[in-house]
Amino acid sequence: MVFGTTILGSNPSAPAINIMSLINNIRKFFFPFYKERKIKEIFEILNKDKKDNAMLVGGCVRNFLNNQEINDVDIATIFTPSEVIKKFSKTPFRVIKTGVDHGTVTLIKEGKNFEVTTLREDISTDGRHAKVSFTKEWKKDSERRDFTINAIYLDQYGKIFDPQNGLLDLKNKTVKFIGDPEERIQEDYLRILRFLRFSLQYNNKSQDQETLKIIKKNLDGISKLSKERIFGEIIKILSLNNFRDIFLNDNLYEIFKVVFSEFKYLDRLKDINNEIYNNFLKSDQHLLLALLLVDEKDNHAYFSHKYKVSNYLRENLEFYHKYFYE
């Protein structure tokens, strides 16, 4: 019998099955995201000669394999940015030269963005920006990526290419740097924050102690990063469904407190019951930021200035400050 969106079996004590959840699981099985029309069109252009000139990579592949929602779609290709631009110049896709120097072109169609990036290998780096050269070798491209779980490639037919054994790590919820962790970190110190984010997201319990030592030794390198990049990671970390699990991991908690010293009131989250957190805080990053920042002084103002936040967020934090302390 069907009641609204719920199916009840003959046994009233059996768990109800949500119709929409069932439909979504069926849809993902029979119509995986890589068969979506616009993605197929991109592959038809890039793989016109029937070779593996392009594959999906990164978060979209990781989320697909974990049966999670897919937002951003990243495509890696052997073609240079100028070649990609030429191939799509007379197509329905709008071409944006997002980061041509670093190999990235954004394709836009019907409000949907697709980042297409040329296979790369690092030449040099200062911990903030890397000089890269383009390559046609997929394994070399995989070697310059941060974590094994982000170096899983998926072709247009759903075939996996996994040169860094990321599938096993994804299955085991292990966040592991590719190659030497210290080299990866010193290439781009933002990877420390990404390690923190993915370790929380995947409840990474098998953290290598040597890697944690290297991370703690290199924390000062984060000061080399632009405040905009750091703030972007702050929002991503706070947006995690299980952000409060940070209290369950002493190492991640310690790293977070050192890097984000402005969050003087992180422990306030311990006193928030699950209903309030899930219904209000988790979906409102501004309110969550206020909880972690606002006091009777100007801690929120210092944070706003340091990270050059939007006027909207600045005004929101000021409102909460006045509401609670004036």
Side-chain angles (χ1 to χ4, degrees):
M1 185 179 297
V2 178
F3 295 90
T5 60
T6 302
I7 299 175
L8 298 179
S10 57
N11 180 3
S13 63
I17 301 173
N18 184 280
I19 289 179
M20 291 310 300
S21 177
L22 179 62
I23 290 174
N24 283 337
N25 285 332
I26 293 173
R27 180 175 58 82
K28 287 176 183 177
F29 182 80
F30 288 105
F31 307 101
F33 85 105
Y34 56 86
K35 291 187 178 181
E36 191 265 330
R37 176 174 54 83
K38 289 183 283 294
I39 295 177
K40 286 180 68 175
E41 289 175 7
I42 293 172
F43 275 129
E44 285 171 2
I45 294 169
L46 293 176
N47 289 338
K48 192 173 182 180
D49 58 3
K50 305 299 182 184
K51 295 181 180 178
D52 287 331
N53 298 328
M55 287 194 279
L56 296 147
V57 69
C60 61
V61 177
R62 191 180 66 241
N63 287 1
F64 167 69
L65 294 172
N66 269 345
N67 199 29
Q68 295 173 323
E69 183 180 357
I70 296 167
N71 295 312
D72 302 323
V73 175
D74 295 310
I75 298 171
T77 181
I78 65 169
F79 297 118
T80 65
S82 59
E83 289 173 322
V84 173
I85 291 169
K86 183 177 180 180
K87 287 178 180 293
F88 287 89
S89 62
K90 296 181 180 179
T91 71
F93 289 89
R94 186 156 61 98
V95 181
I96 306 296
K97 301 175 183 178
T98 319
V100 174
D101 291 343
H102 298 284
T104 301
V105 172
T106 299
L107 306 177
I108 303 175
K109 184 178 181 183
E110 298 170 1
K112 181 72 175 177
N113 292 11
F114 305 89
E115 283 201 351
V116 180
T117 302
T118 307
L119 303 186
R120 301 170 293 181
E121 56 180 319
D122 288 336
I123 301 301
S124 65
T125 181
D126 59 5
R128 181 176 178 178
H129 303 293
K131 290 183 179 180
V132 299
S133 67
F134 300 140
T135 180
K136 293 184 182 294
E137 297 184 36
W138 290 93
K139 190 169 187 301
K140 282 189 176 181
D141 181 76
S142 74
E143 289 169 353
R144 68 167 299 278
R145 295 179 180 271
D146 49 10
F147 309 112
T148 59
I149 60 173
N150 286 333
I152 306 170
Y153 302 82
L154 183 75
D155 74 9
Q156 67 186 101
Y157 305 109
K159 182 181 178 182
I160 293 287
F161 175 58
D162 183 24
Q164 302 298 331
N165 297 316
L167 273 173
L168 181 61
D169 290 333
L170 188 63
K171 179 182 178 182
N172 294 331
K173 298 183 178 180
T174 300
V175 183
K176 184 188 298 181
F177 284 99
I178 293 172
D180 183 346
E182 189 149 33
E183 284 185 19
R184 294 286 83 76
I185 289 169
Q186 291 179 356
E187 286 169 354
D188 184 354
Y189 289 103
L190 193 73
R191 287 171 174 171
I192 291 176
L193 304 185
R194 287 170 60 81
F195 177 88
L196 178 65
R197 171 159 60 94
F198 289 127
S199 293
L200 275 173
Q201 180 178 346
Y202 292 110
N203 192 21
N204 179 24
K205 294 178 180 177
S206 57
Q207 293 162 13
D208 178 65
Q209 292 302 310
E210 187 60 33
T211 297
L212 289 167
K213 287 179 183 177
I214 292 170
I215 286 173
K216 292 174 183 178
K217 186 177 78 172
N218 284 276
L219 287 178
D220 288 345
I222 293 175
S223 63
K224 295 183 177 183
L225 300 171
S226 72
K227 296 301 184 288
E228 290 83 0
R229 293 185 77 203
I230 297 174
F231 182 73
E233 278 300 317
I234 290 175
I235 295 301
K236 289 177 182 178
I237 292 170
L238 295 183
S239 299
L240 293 173
N241 286 329
N242 64 333
F243 172 63
R244 286 206 295 180
D245 287 351
I246 197 167
F247 297 115
L248 305 178
N249 190 305
D250 291 340
N251 284 305
L252 299 184
Y253 179 73
E254 179 186 349
I255 293 169
F256 188 89
K257 290 281 284 186
V258 171
V259 175
F260 303 118
S261 58
E262 303 85 8
F263 292 141
K264 296 179 180 180
Y265 307 103
L266 184 62
D267 287 354
R268 285 175 178 170
L269 282 177
K270 294 179 180 179
D271 300 322
I272 302 292
N273 68 48
N274 289 334
E275 184 178 358
I276 291 176
Y277 181 77
N278 291 329
N279 292 334
F280 299 100
L281 286 172
K282 194 162 67 173
S283 60
D284 189 340
Q285 279 75 50
H286 289 190
L287 183 57
L288 183 54
L289 279 170
L291 183 71
L292 304 181
L293 292 168
V294 169
D295 56 16
E296 68 277 11
K297 298 181 180 179
D298 61 352
N299 188 49
H300 68 288
Y302 170 73
F303 177 87
S304 297
H305 174 73
K306 178 177 179 179
Y307 290 106
K308 304 175 183 178
V309 304
S310 67
N311 289 334
Y312 181 66
L313 174 53
R314 187 189 304 270
E315 290 167 3
N316 263 318
L317 293 176
E318 187 62 30
F319 166 79
Y320 288 122
H321 171 70
K322 290 181 177 180
Y323 184 83
F324 286 109
Y325 290 102
E326 291 189 7

